[in-house]
């Protein structure tokens, strides 16, 4: 039985997907070693004419529940890879991070499909990083074979939202991740909370010990950025650096950020 509220949302979402009324925005991730733009995270947006902007935290789980997630994944990935080509043509060489629902990873041939998409567009597989979050019903350890196939193809794997929810150390030990993303829950109170500082420093040390890179999510203040840079976190992402941007905004943001980073470094 589908709840009435879900039904209206589902109907609107299905029509948006079919009529290409969704769009992607891209949030920059910068290197904390030199401030350079390293990667962008592709994030889906749905602005419904009747409902207004609907957040992905509402419609992604709904797409998962109602069999639309593979359609969303394929549309989002194709859109993002095409965008990568446009940036490359404009001289911006970056990596693209894409959120994959664990449900889309159930099929053993999914890595081949992604590789074919990259090949067809001439996007090097090494430029793609998949961000994975474990949900209650989709334990990632069951996906070992699929994840290993991605790694063999050179595609990166980031464990998203690390430290909250279902993410666990067992996954880090057993699965071939290349990057850990520290959840913004631990970043938001770095200034006030000694506990958060200890936890973040420990995650960074652990990740480096395991040969992984670390990204901090949700960086909103210079104080947080400074702590993370001093703690040797590799990459930072958050509203202080940039909100998710439309593709055309990227070049202007990049120039402005270079100035802001130089000032930050000099202070
Ligand atoms: P996520 O992968 O952890 O993405 C980061 C979320 O944090 C994004 O929310 C981003 O806009 C937000 N964010 C970034 N910087 C800051 C900050 O400094 N402060 C705060 N408070 N928030 C920040 P968004 O775009 O609403 O996405 C929410 C979640 O929805 C994502 O979490 C991801 O799990 C999922 N999602 C988004 N796009 C897709 C998609 O195309 N496919 C799938 N499967 N999931 C998606
Ligand atoms: Mg993510
Ligand atoms: Mg996250």
């Amino acid at each position: 039985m589908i709840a009435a509220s879900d039904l209206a949302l589902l109907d609107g979402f299905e029509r948006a997907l079919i009529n290409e009324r969704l769009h992607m925005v891209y949030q920059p991730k910068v290197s904390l070693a030199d401030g350079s733009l390293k990667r962008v995270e592709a994030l889906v947006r749905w602005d419904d004419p009747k409902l207004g902007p609907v957040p992905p935290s509402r419609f992604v789980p709904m797409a998962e529940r109602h069999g639309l997630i593979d359609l969303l994944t394929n549309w989002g990935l194709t859109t993002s890879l095409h965008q990568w080509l446009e940036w490359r043509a404009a001289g911006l060489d970056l990596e693209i991070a894409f959120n994959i629902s664990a449900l889309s990873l159930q099929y053993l041939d999914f890595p081949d499909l992604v590789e074919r998409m990259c090949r067809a567009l001439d996007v090097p597989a090494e430029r793609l990083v998949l961000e994975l979050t474990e949900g209650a019903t989709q334990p990632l350890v069951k996906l070992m074979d699929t994840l290993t196939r991605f790694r063999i193809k050179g595609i990166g794997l980031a464990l998203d939202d690390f430290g909250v929810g279902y993410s666990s150390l067992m996954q880090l030990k057993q699965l071939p991740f290349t990057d850990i993303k520290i959840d913004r829950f631990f970043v938001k109170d770095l200034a006030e909370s000694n506990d958060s500082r200890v936890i973040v420093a420990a995650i960074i040390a652990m990740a480096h010990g395991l040969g992984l890179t670390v990204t901090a999510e949700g960086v909103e203040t210079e104080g947080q950025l400074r702590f993370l840079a001093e703690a040797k976190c590799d990459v930072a992402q958050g509203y202080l650096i940039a909100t998710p941007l439309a593709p055309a905004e990227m070049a202007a943001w990049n120039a402005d950020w270079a100035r802001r980073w130089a000032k930050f470094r000099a202070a």
Side-chain angles (χ1 to χ4, degrees):
M1 223 344 230
I2 304 175
S5 56
D6 233 23
L7 201 60
L9 201 65
L10 184 61
D11 185 45
F13 176 70
E14 207 166 358
R15 272 186 283 122
L17 194 57
I18 292 165
N19 299 326
E20 308 221 3
R21 262 198 268 119
L22 304 175
H23 66 279
M24 301 300 285
V25 288
Y26 302 87
Q27 188 175 33
K29 298 167 189 265
V30 297
S31 159
L32 283 171
D34 60 7
S36 62
L37 172 60
K38 182 162 173 54
R39 194 180 285 173
V40 294
E41 177 171 3
L43 296 157
V44 63
R45 292 291 178 265
W46 171 26
D47 297 318
D48 187 80
K50 279 194 220 128
L51 305 167
V54 187
S57 56
R58 272 196 81 194
F59 66 81
V60 171
M62 186 194 65
E64 290 179 339
R65 281 198 300 279
H66 298 293
L68 293 170
I69 192 66
D70 292 334
L71 222 57
L72 176 65
T73 301
N74 289 345
W75 171 84
L77 201 49
T78 312
T79 305
S80 304
L81 294 177
H82 276 107
Q83 187 51 55
W84 186 89
L85 290 176
E86 285 191 26
W87 279 321
R88 187 185 56 182
L92 262 184
D93 184 24
L94 35 76
E95 295 168 357
I96 200 138
F98 187 79
N99 292 285
I100 293 267
S101 158
L103 279 182
S104 293
L105 297 172
Q106 297 176 80
Y107 314 104
L108 267 181
D109 57 356
F110 186 57
D112 288 332
L113 175 75
V114 175
E115 187 184 43
R116 278 201 301 277
M117 285 162 95
C118 290
R119 280 229 185 103
L121 294 171
D122 201 18
V123 177
E126 295 73 28
R127 286 284 178 271
L128 180 64
V129 179
L130 303 179
E131 298 196 358
L132 311 174
T133 316
E134 180 155 87
T137 51
Q138 316 115 24
L140 289 175
V141 274
K142 284 203 176 156
L143 304 169
M144 168 76 97
D145 288 347
T146 315
L147 298 185
T148 306
R149 282 169 197 221
F150 277 120
R151 282 304 300 132
I152 290 168
K153 296 174 192 307
I155 294 169
L157 297 173
L159 181 52
D160 209 344
D161 306 332
F162 185 73
V164 301
Y166 295 90
S167 64
S168 75
L169 295 175
M170 190 170 81
Q171 295 167 352
L172 274 188
K173 183 168 155 62
Q174 296 187 329
L175 297 171
F177 285 106
T178 52
D179 190 275
I180 295 180
K181 293 191 70 184
I182 304 177
D183 193 84
R184 68 168 177 269
F185 177 79
F186 301 105
V187 174
K188 68 175 194 292
D189 60 358
L190 276 175
E192 313 82 64
S193 166
N194 185 54
D195 290 357
S196 286
R197 287 195 292 273
V198 169
I199 289 169
V200 166
I203 295 176
I204 294 168
M206 178 184 66
H208 288 165
L210 294 171
L212 310 177
T213 55
V214 196
T215 300
E217 299 186 309
V219 179
E220 295 186 354
T221 70
E222 283 203 1
Q224 292 162 355
L225 192 68
R226 209 165 289 286
F227 176 87
L228 292 162
E230 277 163 16
K232 299 275 180 282
C233 183
D234 302 289
V235 173
Q237 170 181 7
Y239 295 162
L240 173 76
I241 300 152
T243 57
L245 303 174
E249 296 174 303
M250 199 59 73
W253 166 81
N254 205 11
D256 180 58
W257 169 250
R259 276 191 295 275
R260 286 197 286 139
W261 173 261
K263 237 167 106 187
F264 169 77
R265 266 319 193 193

